[in-house]
Amino acid sequence: MSWQKSIEELRRRERLAEKMGGEEPVSRQKGRGKLTVRERVAFLADPGSFHEIGKIAGKATYGADDELDGFLPSNSVMGRARLNSRSTVILADDFTVRGGAADASIWQKMVQAIKMAAEYRLPLVQMIDGTGGGGSVKMLEKDPRTYIPETPGWNEITHGLTQVPFVSLALGPCAGMGAGRVAASHFSVMVKELSQVFVAGPPVAIALGEDVTKEELGGWKIQGQNGTVDNVVDTEADAFETARRFLSYLPSSVHELPERVVGGDSPERREESLLSIVPTDGKTPYKPRKIVEASVDTGSFFEIGHDWGRGIVCGFARLDGYPVGILAGDPFFLDGAWTADVCDKVTRHMDLCSQFHLPVVHFVDCPGFAVGVKAETAGVTRAGVRAMTAIYQADVPVCSVVIRKAYGLAGSAMMNQSRTKWRYCWPSGDWGSLPMAGGIEAAFRKELAEAEDPEALKAQLYKKFDAIRSPFRTAESFYAEEIIDPRDTRPLLVDFIHHAWRTLEPGERRTGFRP
């Protein structure tokens, strides 16, 4: 007695599954410059580490003798693998099977993957390449009825986001449920010219009066600049590498602390360039990324959201091997003022760092919230208050390095200032309730109007108040705790991270993540 015939049948079905949608659909996929789903899994995972689950799930047809006559696999490939030696759950769409439509994916596979990730404390990487959640109108011919919409698995997604890192790679047109899965993540990536993300595709938009292409409707220039996706890359290989690098800074779940990875960079390194990187005129912008890169472990800065909310630079880095979150004001964009999208970016990043227990280093240069009709129309006030609340809700240590400006409400939100102020100020610091420029003219309007030489009086007033706003006068009253030589920034931040690490405790966050 033997089960050899059953094993042979199992292997036959597995080979059928490996053919995916068949020769023609696979050829079309490759003709578009896209990898197949199984090639993607092979490139993403550590070699030989992928263990597939539900490989032979799909739609089978049987002949009169009840023998298998045809088989079309599910267009959802799932399983466990290792990424940089870390166990991870992979969930990947197969566009060669009915365009990745969700009604061909067998939704239980998606739910199983998300449950496994959350319950077994494993990161989840989704490779999304699908046309929607409910299938096509043609399906109504086979099942002539409509239904009240329901989204199986969304409860599991909502819970999973509070437990483990979710990474979404948009690797083709992602519509409906596919677009939702891209956005429902801690980190998302698009590939230029290859992927698009939209609620519904061009045919629906055209029916509503907008004649657009897929790229015009949901291409990277739109979704990468409005924050729907975090990062934009050039190739699928770049997307895989970006996912692996993002996860390298985070623990596998909220129930662990991130891993320290010690390199060869000296904790005492002092960068001479920092002494002159900020122009002395107080107006000319500088490149904040150079300050970040000079302060953190060499080569460790990983930027998130480069193309949106550009008044703030966000990302991860390492200090003496310990992972940290990074915020840095960018004066090249509205002088670093916090617009509504900058505020949303700050909120999202603070939530991400707090949820996964990364202390934050904030390089501060903020002249306040953006002012004007455009800013108000975009809802800067509500977005700003939400960002401030996220910063005050964060339960990880924050070290602020005040590089230049810190004005008004937004300038005050460099950290939760009701807690210990672990803060360093550069001599270039410039702070207050409102900037001097314009403020002096408003406060002394009457005197300037009546003066014989208004320009001379204005120059005299500016000289007087320039002296008053000296950072040394602030330090005299202990409102600036420490003014430092900019070259000491890295050694002091390394000292901070060693102290900060002692306070971290793994576990679920009370406020949860806001995607």
Side-chain angles (χ1 to χ4, degrees):
M1 296 292 291
S2 170
W3 292 96
Q4 183 60 36
K5 285 189 177 181
S6 295
I7 299 303
E8 291 172 358
E9 177 64 11
L10 171 62
R11 300 299 175 228
R12 180 168 78 100
R13 291 176 180 242
E14 289 175 340
R15 289 191 294 272
L16 291 172
E18 290 169 358
K19 293 182 179 180
M20 297 168 282
E23 289 186 12
E24 184 179 341
V26 168
S27 177
R28 285 200 305 268
Q29 176 89 347
K30 289 182 171 293
R32 297 186 180 106
K34 298 165 65 176
L35 298 172
T36 67
V37 65
R38 297 191 176 278
E39 289 171 337
R40 287 168 174 168
V41 171
F43 276 111
L44 175 68
D46 292 355
S49 70
F50 183 58
H51 174 85
E52 188 169 354
I53 301 169
K55 185 172 184 176
I56 64 171
K59 183 175 180 56
T61 56
Y62 292 87
D65 56 358
D66 286 326
E67 293 295 319
L68 184 69
D69 189 43
F71 179 72
L72 185 67
S74 160
N75 60 16
S76 179
V77 174
M78 68 156 290
R80 296 183 302 276
R82 291 189 299 277
L83 271 63
N84 295 334
S85 300
R86 177 192 294 184
S87 292
T88 305
V89 175
I90 293 177
L91 176 63
D93 298 343
D94 184 358
F95 195 83
T96 70
V97 179
R98 289 200 39 236
D103 62 337
S105 68
I106 304 183
W107 61 264
Q108 292 91 339
K109 293 184 78 173
M110 180 189 77
V111 174
Q112 171 85 322
I114 296 168
K115 283 183 177 179
M116 178 178 293
E119 292 176 17
Y120 286 84
R121 302 179 178 180
L122 305 173
L124 173 70
V125 177
Q126 302 181 92
M127 292 185 278
I128 303 169
D129 188 1
T131 58
S136 68
V137 173
K138 281 188 175 181
M139 292 301 296
L140 298 178
E141 290 182 328
K142 297 181 179 180
D143 189 0
R145 57 160 179 81
T146 59
Y147 61 90
I148 298 173
E150 184 177 348
T151 308
W154 204 262
N155 183 67
E156 286 74 16
I157 290 173
T158 302
H159 173 65
L161 285 167
T162 70
Q163 301 297 308
V164 299
F166 276 34
V167 174
S168 292
L169 307 181
L171 302 178
C174 304
M177 181 61 173
R181 289 167 58 207
V182 171
S185 58
H186 299 104
F187 180 65
S188 55
V189 179
M190 285 183 75
V191 181
K192 291 180 181 179
E193 314 301 337
L194 189 73
S195 56
Q196 301 84 30
V197 177
F198 30 61
V199 172
V204 179
I206 291 170
L208 295 173
E210 288 188 283
D211 190 0
V212 291
T213 65
K214 288 190 295 185
E215 199 66 26
E216 291 169 338
L217 182 61
W220 68 271
K221 291 181 180 178
I222 294 174
Q223 308 296 22
Q225 293 176 12
N226 66 18
T228 296
V229 297
D230 295 298
N231 283 23
V232 176
V233 297
D234 293 324
T235 67
E236 289 191 63
D238 292 336
F240 305 148
E241 178 55 32
T242 300
R244 294 166 74 97
R245 190 168 179 201
F246 173 83
L247 288 173
S248 72
Y249 294 90
L250 300 182
S252 293
S253 80
V254 298
H255 302 284
E256 304 172 24
L257 294 182
E259 182 182 359
R260 182 187 186 192
V261 179
V262 180
D265 199 356
S266 169
E268 301 301 321
R269 175 168 53 82
R270 298 172 82 251
E271 289 287 344
E272 194 67 28
S273 63
L274 295 180
L275 188 60
S276 56
I277 194 168
V278 177
T280 56
D281 62 9
K283 298 178 182 178
T284 304
Y286 57 89
K287 295 182 178 180
R289 291 170 183 83
K290 289 189 174 182
I291 294 177
V292 174
E293 290 165 354
S295 303
V296 302
D297 294 358
T298 300
S300 72
F301 179 53
F302 174 78
E303 186 167 359
I304 298 172
H306 178 277
D307 296 324
W308 73 287
R310 301 191 71 178
I312 195 90
V313 175
C314 293
F316 296 150
R318 292 187 182 275
L319 286 168
D320 199 22
Y322 292 103
V324 295
I326 297 292
L327 293 172
D330 191 341
F332 271 93
F333 296 91
L334 289 180
D335 202 30
W338 283 19
T339 55
D341 60 342
V342 167
C343 294
D344 289 343
K345 189 174 178 181
V346 169
T347 298
R348 179 172 170 80
H349 198 61
M350 287 300 298
D351 283 346
L352 176 63
C353 293
S354 192
Q355 178 169 347
F356 292 108
H357 321 304
L358 271 69
V360 174
V361 175
H362 187 175
F363 296 92
V364 181
D365 191 349
C366 176
F369 291 123
V371 175
V373 173
K374 184 177 180 180
E376 297 296 347
T377 302
V380 67
T381 301
R382 181 176 294 277
V385 168
R386 193 164 184 259
M388 292 180 67
T389 303
I391 290 168
Y392 273 70
Q393 287 176 337
D395 51 13
V396 292
V398 177
C399 177
S400 294
V401 183
V402 184
I403 304 299
R404 190 155 66 182
K405 293 180 180 178
Y407 280 98
L409 276 177
S412 77
M414 62 184 71
M415 65 201 320
N416 183 343
Q417 297 202 47
S418 70
R419 299 179 181 173
T420 299
K421 296 183 181 72
W422 203 299
R423 176 166 60 188
Y424 302 107
C425 302
W426 284 16
S428 48
D430 176 16
W431 40 64
S433 59
L434 75 168
M436 293 293 179
I440 288 175
E441 287 85 345
F444 292 90
R445 183 182 294 110
K446 183 174 182 296
E447 291 85 343
L448 289 168
E450 295 174 351
E452 291 184 8
D453 188 345
E455 289 302 316
L457 176 58
K458 185 166 71 171
Q460 181 182 344
L461 289 169
Y462 265 93
K463 182 177 180 181
K464 173 184 177 181
F465 283 98
D466 275 343
I468 290 174
R469 70 179 186 176
S470 164
F472 296 107
R473 295 202 183 190
T474 309
E476 288 171 6
S477 299
F478 198 57
Y479 289 131
E481 295 76 28
E482 293 187 59
I483 297 176
I484 66 168
D485 182 333
R487 294 168 292 189
D488 291 333
T489 302
R490 172 173 168 77
L492 289 170
L493 289 179
V494 168
D495 177 60
F496 159 74
I497 196 62
H498 280 273
H499 286 85
W501 213 259
R502 296 173 57 247
T503 73
L504 300 178
E505 295 181 1
E508 296 183 38
R509 190 176 179 220
R510 291 188 300 274
T511 55
F513 181 79
R514 292 188 291 272

